């Protein structure tokens, strides 16, 4: 096993333990001290589930607050993945809380109509509904054709509203938070959620505003793709590891939370300068070509664990890219070349057409500077194309990588169906999962 | 790989919540001890109400409707209907009319024993018309443990 993974495990484990402790905190408070009289097994079980479910929902904002130290051991993408699935779990706990009471204790929870129900019961029901809308609109955002920026704003508004209504619901019922010290602890705990939202929406944008960047170059690349070059203005900028990414705000104040994640494509050895290579794919990226040198930008980063720098002992690297998924790989290749890295490298690069092969000329140049072999795979090859053709299937990968060395480290970046199938193919050929790396972000 | 670990931690987190909830429910519902106030008595039932009808039937119906209108069942239960935490099934055996009124309106001993938030809530019932309170107390005094 690679040493780096083993080294960072205990570190990551501490953060996981902290997270679970924070989720369990309200239940532990409930268990401590003098207890109110029991209300029957099902009743108390349902109440506890409600607290636990809300704790998970309240902590969601901490998961996506992009605290760099806490997310570094895992990678930001997996934190978002976790955010997504734990939300489903938390929602089921809250649904269970409601269903147990609705079915078992209909008389106690009173009428459904907000006209006759006590306000705190209505608050709880609206919160339940909002949590449902949040989960459904997030898991199936694309199915409902929700535009990303609008969805993000509504996601934040609804999430805060749902949590606030839930807190009001608990306050209104007032049973478990009756003891003054429990009320205080519960208040401090919910204040933590509020503080995190305040940090994300106010403190961090403020910090970003004080470290602006300026676009120094906008360059057209092959295949409806653009490279932006950014230079720090009045500060030294950030360092990053090749393959990492950042949230980029263009033509928008950081306070408007209008940022989008992009991989760095430039060399990490090129201090101060940041490059992002962006394909026209979504509503935001379609406007990239109209950006002019001199425009202001804000960069929140670096983030991510998709980097060869976490594998200093790897004997060699295989890079498998599809289309604009080449951007972070390009950052890796440029950095390794600038560092004079002597290790053997193999690049498998899938594209539709030869004319659209991103960085084609520079890859030729990098071949001279690195121990780099390149296998291009084209879906629609020109006549007399000598190379591989088709998608990056198991069969094509066998031809592109005839000898699998399971000790090497594999970086895969491209559209999700591609990364899924490449991962399966590599697994079949004996590469351990711990040596296959890919970002889980979908490229909009 | 990382996805698998993330999913496992999801399950672990949910598992911890469910386990703690089960623990909470079982610690909370240990068999009642000798000095537990107003232990719920399983024998109490609506049948007991009919057997010991001290109040006039009209009063009883009115009392029930006050009980429903004031949503007493959000904190109390009678014959298993309502919030099981504070059952009133045998309350008529434990308390006389005067005490019942005090517990209903948050005065006297009730004001000292109950938490302040609950006392405030109960004191709101003082503003109910006197005959409604009387009817409610009459209804509650019919709730007796069956022998």
């Amino acid at each position: 096993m690679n040493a780096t993974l083993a080294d960072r495990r205990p570190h990551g484990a501490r953060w996981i333990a902290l997270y679970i402790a924070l989720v369990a905190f309200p239940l532990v408070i409930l268990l401590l001290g003098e207890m109110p009289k029991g209300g029957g097994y099902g009743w108390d079980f349902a109440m506890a589930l409600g607290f636990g479910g809300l704790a998970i929902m309240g902590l969601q904002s901490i998961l996506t607050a992009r605290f760099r130290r806490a997310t570094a051991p895992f990678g930001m993408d997996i934190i978002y993945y976790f955010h997504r699935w734990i939300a489903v779990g938390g929602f089921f706990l809250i649904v269970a809380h409601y269903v147990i009471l609705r079915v078992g204790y209909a008389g106690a929870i009173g009428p459904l109509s907000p006209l006759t129900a006590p306000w705190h019961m209505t608050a709880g029901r609206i919160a339940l509904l909002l949590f449902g809308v949040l989960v459904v609109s997030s898991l199936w955002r694309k199915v409902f054709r929700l535009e990303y920026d609008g969805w993000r704003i509504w996601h934040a508004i609804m999430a805060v509203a749902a949590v606030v209504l839930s807190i009001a619901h608990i306050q209104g019922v007032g049973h478990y938070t009756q003891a003054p010290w429990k009320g205080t602890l519960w208040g401090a705990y919910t204040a933590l959620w509020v503080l995190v939202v305040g940090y994300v929406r106010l403190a961090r944008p403020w910090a970003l505003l004080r470290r602006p960047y300026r676009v120094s170059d906008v360059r057209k690349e092959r295949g409806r793709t653009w490279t932006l070059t950014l230079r720090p203005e009045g500060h030294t900028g950030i360092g990053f590891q090749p393959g990492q990414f950042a949230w980029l705000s263009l033509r928008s104040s950081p306070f408007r939370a209008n940022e989008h994640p992009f991989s760095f494509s430039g060399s990490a050895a090129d201090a101060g300068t940041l490059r992002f290579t962006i394909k026209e794919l979504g509503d935001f990226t379609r406007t990239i070509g109209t950006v002019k040198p001199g425009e202001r930008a804000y960069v929140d980063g670096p983030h991510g664990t998709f980097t060869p720098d976490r594998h200093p002992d790897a004997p060699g690297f295989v890079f498998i890219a599809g289309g604009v998924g080449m951007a972070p790989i390009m950052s890796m290749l440029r950095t390794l070349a600038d560092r004079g890295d002597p290790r053997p490298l193999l690049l498998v690069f899938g594209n539709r057409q030869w004319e659209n092969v991103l960085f084609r000329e520079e890859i030729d140049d990098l071949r001279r500077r690195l121990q780099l072999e390149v296998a291009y795979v084209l879906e629609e090859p020109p006549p007399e194309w000598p190379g591989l053709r088709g998608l990056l299937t198991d069969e094509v990968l066998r031809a592109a990588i005839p000898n699998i060395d399971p000790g090497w480290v594999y970086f895969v970046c491209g559209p999700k169906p591609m990364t899924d199938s490449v991962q399966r193919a590599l697994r079949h050929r004996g590469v351990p999962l711990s040596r296959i790396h890919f970002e889980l972000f979908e490229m909009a | 790989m990382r996805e698998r670990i993330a999913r496992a931690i999801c399950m672990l987190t949910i598992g911890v919540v469910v386990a703690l909830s089960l623990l909470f429910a079982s610690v909370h519902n240990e068999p009642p001890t000798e000095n537990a106030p107003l232990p719920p008595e399983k024998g109490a039932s609506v049948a007991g109400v009919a057997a010991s009808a001290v109040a006039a039937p009209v009063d009883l119906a009115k009392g029930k409707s006050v009980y429903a209108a004031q949503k007493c069942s959000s904190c109390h239960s009678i014959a298993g209907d309502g919030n099981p935490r504070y059952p009133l099934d045998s309350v008529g055996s434990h308390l006389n009319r005067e005490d019942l009124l005090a517990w209903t309106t948050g005065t006297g001993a009730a004001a000292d024993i109950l938490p302040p938030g609950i006392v405030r809530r109960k004191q709101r019932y003082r503003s109910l018309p006197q005959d409604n309170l009387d009817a409610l107390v009459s209804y509650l005094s019919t709730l007796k443990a069956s022998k």
Side-chain angles (χ1 to χ4, degrees):
Chain A
M1 280 294 283
N2 48 46
T4 52
L5 189 66
D7 288 346
R8 60 178 198 260
R9 253 194 196 139
H11 190 56
R14 272 210 294 276
W15 289 110
I16 294 168
L18 176 66
Y19 174 77
I20 295 177
L22 281 173
V23 169
F25 183 75
L27 292 170
V28 173
I29 309 182
L30 290 183
L31 278 165
L32 291 176
E34 199 186 323
M35 296 235 211
K37 214 160 88 61
Y41 206 88
W43 178 269
D44 286 314
F45 180 58
M47 293 301 159
L49 288 182
F51 274 94
L54 178 61
I56 286 172
M57 292 311 202
L59 290 166
Q60 286 291 67
S61 66
I62 293 186
L63 289 178
T64 54
R66 302 184 210 147
F67 292 120
R68 221 171 310 150
R69 269 184 59 193
T71 57
F74 314 103
M76 202 59 229
D77 57 335
I78 203 74
I79 302 287
Y80 275 82
Y81 182 87
F82 184 79
H83 173 93
R84 185 175 258 251
W85 288 112
I86 199 70
V88 175
F91 180 61
F92 272 110
L93 293 177
I94 294 173
V95 168
H97 162 76
Y98 181 73
V99 169
I100 291 172
L101 295 173
R102 178 92 257 167
V103 172
Y105 308 89
I109 70 171
L112 196 60
S113 159
L115 294 176
T116 48
W119 66 271
H120 62 269
M121 298 306 282
T122 305
R125 290 184 183 112
I126 296 174
L128 174 71
L129 204 67
L130 282 177
F131 283 129
V133 172
L134 278 164
V135 167
V136 170
S137 65
S138 306
L139 290 185
W140 293 287
R141 177 173 70 81
K142 288 189 178 165
V143 174
F144 293 120
R145 295 169 194 272
L146 301 175
E147 181 255 334
Y148 177 78
D149 292 316
W151 166 80
R152 257 193 80 185
I153 292 167
W154 280 105
H155 190 80
I157 293 173
M158 286 197 295
V160 170
V163 169
V164 167
L165 286 168
S166 305
I167 294 170
H169 171 66
I170 289 172
Q171 209 60 39
V173 173
H175 186 82
Y176 294 93
T177 50
Q178 202 64 245
W181 69 274
K182 284 193 186 183
T184 308
L185 272 181
W186 175 248
Y189 180 72
T190 51
L192 174 73
W193 302 341
V194 176
L195 282 177
V196 169
V197 173
Y199 168 78
V200 170
R201 300 285 159 202
L202 300 173
R204 194 180 29 218
W206 176 251
L208 290 179
L209 206 59
R210 295 179 53 187
R211 293 170 69 84
Y213 286 75
R214 238 176 235 292
V215 177
S216 64
D217 186 46
V218 182
R219 184 174 156 181
K220 176 103 182 69
E221 307 279 3
R222 288 176 179 276
R224 291 193 306 152
T225 301
W226 301 83
T227 294
L228 300 186
T229 306
L230 268 54
R231 286 189 209 286
E233 200 176 52
H235 59 100
T236 52
I238 52 169
F240 65 93
Q241 296 176 333
Q244 287 192 301
F245 66 93
W247 266 272
L248 177 63
S249 296
L250 274 172
R251 294 174 172 172
S252 169
S253 151
F255 285 103
R256 292 190 50 201
N258 212 2
E259 70 273 30
H260 297 78
F262 294 109
S263 292
F264 299 112
S265 58
S267 171
D270 192 356
T273 303
L274 300 180
R275 277 177 232 277
F276 296 96
T277 299
I278 300 166
K279 183 161 184 166
E280 296 176 14
L281 286 171
D283 296 324
F284 171 74
T285 52
R286 253 192 287 282
T287 66
I288 290 292
T290 67
V291 172
K292 297 277 174 291
E295 285 191 38
R296 220 168 246 259
Y298 301 96
V299 177
D300 176 17
H303 293 285
T305 54
F306 184 70
T307 171
D309 287 13
R310 293 180 72 136
H311 309 277
D313 303 330
F317 295 108
V318 175
F319 306 103
I320 303 167
V324 74
M326 187 61 199
I329 309 279
M330 200 61 193
S331 174
M332 297 178 191
L333 292 176
R334 283 169 166 162
T335 307
L336 292 172
D338 285 349
R339 291 176 185 163
D341 198 296
R343 285 177 281 186
L345 311 170
L346 169 60
L347 168 66
V348 182
F349 190 9
N351 280 281
R352 194 185 296 273
Q353 292 164 342
W354 182 236
E355 279 317 299
N356 294 346
V357 175
L358 201 57
F359 303 124
R360 218 170 73 190
E361 294 76 8
E362 197 181 337
I363 291 169
D364 283 339
D365 178 50
L366 285 167
R367 268 171 156 159
R368 286 188 287 273
R369 297 171 63 199
L370 289 163
Q371 288 287 320
L372 173 65
E373 274 185 59
V374 182
Y376 290 107
V377 182
L378 297 178
E379 273 177 66
E380 296 164 12
E384 288 151 50
W385 167 250
L388 296 162
R389 51 189 73 212
L391 294 167
L392 294 176
T393 57
D394 196 0
E395 198 182 333
V396 167
L397 283 177
R398 270 176 204 280
I401 320 171
N403 304 307
I404 282 278
D405 186 331
W408 285 28
V409 174
Y410 295 76
F411 290 96
V412 187
C413 190
K416 185 141 180 20
M418 181 211 113
T419 56
D420 284 350
S421 74
V422 168
Q423 192 198 0
R424 267 197 307 275
L426 293 176
R427 290 267 293 144
H428 276 175
R429 294 177 68 192
V431 181
L433 266 180
S434 60
R435 284 174 203 270
I436 307 171
H437 299 280
F438 50 94
E439 288 284 351
L440 299 171
F441 280 117
E442 285 193 41
M443 308 205 296
Chain B
M1 176 75 157
R2 294 186 306 146
E3 291 156 283
R4 250 185 233 184
I5 296 173
R7 279 199 299 266
I9 295 165
C10 267
M11 302 302 273
L12 176 67
T13 307
I14 302 295
V16 166
V17 170
V18 172
L20 280 173
S21 299
L22 288 171
L23 178 67
F24 175 71
S26 56
V27 170
H28 236 326
N29 293 288
E30 276 165 352
T33 48
E34 284 301 315
N35 55 1
L38 301 184
E41 283 168 47
K42 294 278 168 257
S45 68
V46 187
V49 171
S52 56
V54 281
V58 181
D59 235 3
L60 203 76
K62 186 171 177 185
K64 274 186 186 174
S65 73
V66 173
Y67 182 89
Q70 297 304 319
K71 305 193 182 67
C72 301
S73 64
S74 63
C75 299
H76 297 285
S77 64
I78 294 171
D81 184 22
N83 187 330
R85 196 179 305 281
Y86 302 106
L88 296 173
D89 293 306
S90 56
V91 78
S93 309
H94 297 280
L95 301 174
N96 59 30
R97 286 189 67 94
E98 198 184 331
D99 290 339
L100 279 171
L101 186 67
W103 280 91
T104 304
T105 55
T107 51
D112 300 331
I113 294 169
L114 289 171
I118 303 295
V119 172
R120 273 197 299 279
R121 204 177 291 183
K122 283 181 172 269
Q123 286 181 346
R124 282 187 224 142
Y125 302 128
R126 288 181 192 171
S127 57
L128 288 176
Q130 191 57 47
D131 57 327
N132 282 11
L133 276 175
D134 284 343
L136 181 62
V137 167
S138 300
Y139 169 51
L140 294 175
S141 58
T142 63
L143 302 172
K144 303 212 165 162
S146 52
K147 302 277 151 26

